[in-house]
């Protein structure tokens, strides 16, 4: 199926590889994803150690949103609004942020294998986040905070991988993945060393957090991720045509006036900032930034004007459903969501790697 969007004449069209839908149908897809996300959020709020009636859950949520106040049992209302609603919303925000971060990093390196987890950015952010409580109330820890330390570590990691993966000014795919994996392992080893300094109680909580979990989310956890997602999404949307030009090649993008160096720095900052924010709140959740953008491109094509909004909603819906599965797979226990995303992501990564090796995969 061909792409019906008409890019500006000076901007090279993105890859016209076959995809399932295009044009106005993309708007319908966004509406379906938004409706599915709302439905998943309501189901996610209703399911837990005790299942709650969907109708009453929606009544409590709507009463708070409309400002009329919930006419239900106070305990029921507290469970729904104070405990489960922030958790479901945080899962949606984390999924959206990691998916958009994946789009940004894949555009940066022009490689669909790029992902905050594969490139070591998530591992570095985890290291930065665990260092703050480990080193205590020092001046450095106090000035950076968990999010600041995670962001600084993520930026350093992404920059290191980006520099080391180049040969003679060219970014090499194989070096990129291998360097990212190596940096990720190094950060994981350092994080493990930090963990060994903790007492058993702190270690158990840290292990669960490092595998990724939205349990224990509160309303105060939602503000910063939501603001950063909006800011990064707006900037990336404004750069969508430049990102499409970058897909055609660095030389082609420079030839039509795209400030490639500045654009790449912006992509590096956006991807690292989104990843670090998510890691500092919910821990390490891998492979969402790899799987979701790639599946989205299969459906809507490579045009970033469609990839970005669809990835945002698809990533949010995906992690809400994964969190739901993490709560019901081993009742009454809850499993870290990172177990599920890694279990799905590793086979997907190997399939993608094998497909690229056979020449059947597209570039970012």
């Amino acid at each position: 199926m061909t792409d019906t969007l008409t890019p500006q004449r000076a901007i090279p069209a993105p890859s016209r590889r076959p995809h399932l839908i295009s044009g106005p149908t993309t708007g319908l897809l966004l509406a379906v994803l938004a409706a599915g996300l709302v439905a998943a959020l309501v189901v996610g709020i209703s399911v837990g150690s005790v299942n709650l009636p969907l109708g009453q859950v929606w009544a409590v949520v709507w009463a708070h949103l409309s400002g009329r106040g919930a006419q239900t049992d106070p305990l029921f209302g507290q469970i729904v609004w104070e405990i489960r609603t922030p958790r479901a919303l945080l899962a949606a925000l984390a999924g959206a942020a990691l998916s958009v971060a994946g789009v940004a990093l894949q555009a940066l390196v022009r490689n669909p294998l790029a992902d905050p987890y594969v490139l070591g950015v998530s591992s570095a952010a985890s290291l930065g986040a665990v260092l703050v409580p480990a080193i205590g109330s020092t001046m450095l820890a106090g000035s950076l905070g968990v999010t600041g330390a995670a962001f600084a570590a993520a930026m350093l990691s992404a920059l290191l991988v980006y520099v080391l993966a180049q040969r003679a000014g060219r970014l090499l795919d194989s070096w990129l993945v291998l360097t990212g994996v190596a940096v990720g392992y190094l950060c994981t080893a350092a994080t493990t060393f930090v963990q060994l300094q903790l007492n058993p109680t702190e270690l158990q909580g840290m292990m669960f957090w490092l595998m990724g979990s939205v349990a224990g989310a509160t309303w105060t956890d939602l503000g910063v991720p939501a603001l950063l997602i909006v800011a990064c999404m707006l900037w990336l949307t404004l750069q969508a045509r430049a990102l499409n030009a970058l897909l055609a090649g660095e030389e082609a993008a420079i030839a039509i006036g795209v400030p490639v160096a500045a654009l790449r720095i912006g992509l590096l900052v956006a991807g690292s900032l989104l990843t670090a924010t998510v890691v500092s709140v919910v821990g390490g959740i891998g492979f969402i930034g790899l799987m979701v953008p790639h599946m989205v491109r299969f459906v809507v094509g490579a045009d970033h004007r469609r990839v970005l909004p669809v990835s945002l909603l698809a990533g949010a819906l995906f992690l809400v459903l994964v969190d739901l599965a993490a709560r019901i797979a081993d009742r009454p226990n809850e499993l870290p969501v990172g177990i599920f995303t890694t279990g799905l992501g590793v086979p997907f990564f190997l399939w993608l790697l094998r497909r690229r090796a056979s020449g059947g995969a597209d570039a970012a």
Side-chain angles (χ1 to χ4, degrees):
M1 185 177 292
T2 58
D3 189 343
T4 58
L5 286 181
T6 305
Q8 291 181 351
R9 188 173 56 185
I11 303 293
S15 172
R16 293 179 180 274
R17 295 177 186 278
H19 49 272
L20 298 180
I21 66 172
S22 61
T25 315
T26 306
L28 178 61
L29 174 62
L30 289 172
V32 170
L33 285 173
L37 177 59
V38 172
L41 286 171
V42 174
V43 173
I45 295 169
S46 70
V47 174
S49 55
V50 177
N51 290 342
L52 306 175
L54 284 173
Q56 294 183 33
V57 167
W58 176 250
V60 171
V61 173
W62 179 248
H64 281 279
L65 292 177
S66 62
R68 291 181 303 177
Q71 302 298 319
T72 60
D73 177 76
L75 179 60
F76 183 92
Q78 184 179 13
I79 292 173
V80 170
W81 188 249
E82 300 295 337
I83 298 176
R84 295 191 182 179
T85 302
R87 173 177 184 153
L89 290 177
L90 184 59
L93 289 173
L98 290 173
S99 297
V100 173
V103 174
L105 292 176
Q106 288 167 13
L108 169 68
V109 299
R110 300 182 62 239
N111 190 324
L113 296 176
D115 164 81
Y117 196 78
V118 174
L119 296 184
V121 178
S122 293
S123 300
S126 296
L127 174 60
V130 301
L131 277 176
V132 172
I135 61 180
S137 56
T138 64
M139 183 179 296
L140 178 63
S143 59
L144 286 177
V146 173
T147 302
F151 173 65
M155 279 288 295
L156 288 174
S157 168
L159 189 60
L160 181 64
V161 171
Y162 184 78
V163 171
L164 292 179
Q166 297 195 57
R167 285 293 180 275
R170 293 186 57 210
L171 197 64
L172 303 180
D173 286 1
S174 57
W175 277 87
L176 178 76
V177 175
L178 292 174
T179 306
V181 171
V183 171
Y185 270 117
L186 182 63
C187 293
T188 301
T191 303
T192 302
F193 176 78
V194 174
Q195 290 176 264
L196 292 176
Q197 314 307 312
L198 304 176
N199 64 51
T201 303
E202 293 173 327
L203 181 60
Q204 185 177 5
M206 186 67 73
M207 286 292 292
F208 196 85
W209 178 78
L210 287 174
M211 286 301 296
S213 173
V214 292
T218 64
W219 284 103
T220 57
D221 294 328
L222 306 181
V224 173
L227 287 174
L228 288 175
I229 289 173
V230 171
C232 291
M233 191 65 188
L234 285 175
W235 182 79
L236 288 167
T237 301
L238 292 174
Q239 306 301 321
R241 291 181 181 277
L243 296 178
N244 290 343
L246 194 59
L247 285 183
E250 184 174 333
E251 294 80 7
I254 293 174
I256 60 173
V258 174
V260 173
L263 178 61
R264 282 184 160 165
I265 291 173
L267 292 171
L268 183 66
V269 172
S272 300
L273 188 57
L274 288 170
T275 303
T277 303
V278 170
V279 169
S280 67
V281 178
V282 303
I285 301 176
F287 294 102
I288 292 180
L290 172 71
M291 291 187 289
V292 173
H294 202 80
M295 289 188 287
V296 167
R297 289 191 189 92
F298 176 74
V299 176
V300 303
D303 192 329
H304 284 87
R305 291 170 294 178
R306 294 192 291 263
V307 171
L308 283 166
V310 176
S311 294
L312 180 82
L313 290 177
L317 175 60
F318 178 77
L319 195 54
V320 170
L321 294 177
V322 168
D323 179 47
L324 186 60
R327 278 180 276 167
I328 64 178
D330 186 29
R331 280 183 165 179
N333 301 313
E334 289 189 13
L335 300 175
V337 292
I339 291 178
F340 291 84
T341 59
T342 303
L344 294 170
V346 169
F348 187 88
F349 177 78
L350 294 174
W351 169 78
L352 194 59
L353 195 62
R354 186 178 178 85
R355 191 161 178 254
R356 281 179 61 82
S358 63
D362 55 354

